Amino acid sequence: MMRQPTLFLTVGLPCTGKTTAARRIEIEQEALRLTKDEWVKALYGHENPPSAGDVIEGRLIQIGLRALELGNNVVIDYGLWSRDERSALRQAAADLGAMVEMRYFKLTPAEQRRRLDQRQAEAPHTTWPMSDDELAEWAANIEIPTRGELDGSEPIDDPPAGFATWDEWRGYRWPPSVS
């Protein structure tokens, strides 16, 4: 009898601890860890093209969903700043009979900047430069998960207007190729 797999979602801004937690989950839960930044860095080096990032996220999600289907735990290690992204992944996991555990990571802007500066100094090959203005803009744009999202008690939203299913929306949000 196959165990019920779990999809772990890490939610948060850069340098808040998502990857550190994902690495721990990978080991403790025997989960396939899918970290977008590692793939973008491997493929693009110092560049961080947004359109390629979206395609990489989508490809990693496809791999993750297939792993869930095969009974493996999966940890998605990237920001997932929008509720729609999280709802789409919660629905995809539910469609496969998988559980979801969502973890939200938050730090003060000063601690986030300190960690980013430390990462830039110690391991610049793992990140990109980020300005204070960018960090502030991203902090203003993240949709912080509700308590119900985090504990799984809140029903999954309907797909946004214009989309019949979350699967259709996922194909739009995470395109199959770079245009």
Side-chain angles (χ1 to χ4, degrees), residues 80-157:
L80 300 171
W81 297 351
S82 84
R83 183 177 172 102
D84 284 346
E85 291 171 331
R86 299 186 301 266
S87 293
L89 294 176
R90 289 174 63 204
Q91 185 63 60
D95 291 346
L96 295 171
M99 298 183 302
V100 174
E101 283 190 30
M102 189 181 308
R103 308 219 178 140
Y104 173 59
F105 300 87
K106 180 181 179 181
L107 292 174
T108 65
E111 178 61 14
Q112 183 185 16
R113 170 49 61 190
R114 186 194 70 73
R115 285 185 179 190
L116 177 59
D117 290 345
Q118 182 178 0
R119 186 186 297 173
Q120 281 292 145
E122 294 174 2
H125 62 282
T126 65
T127 191
W128 295 270
M130 296 173 226
S131 70
D132 288 340
D133 288 342
E134 287 173 314
L135 294 175
E137 178 186 339
W138 297 333
N141 289 327
I142 189 172
E143 295 177 71
I144 296 170
T146 64
R147 181 174 309 233
E149 269 188 287
L150 291 170
D151 69 18
S153 65
E154 200 170 291
I156 299 168
D157 296 334

Side-chain angles (χ1 to χ4, degrees), residues 25-55:
I25 292 167
E26 173 184 31
I27 292 166
E28 293 172 358
Q29 302 297 323
E30 298 178 354
L32 173 64
R33 179 175 55 88
L34 301 170
T35 300
K36 178 185 86 168
D37 288 354
E38 292 174 359
W39 284 83
V40 173
K41 276 291 189 179
L43 294 170
Y44 295 96
H46 295 296
E47 301 297 315
N48 187 9
S51 62
D54 291 345
V55 172

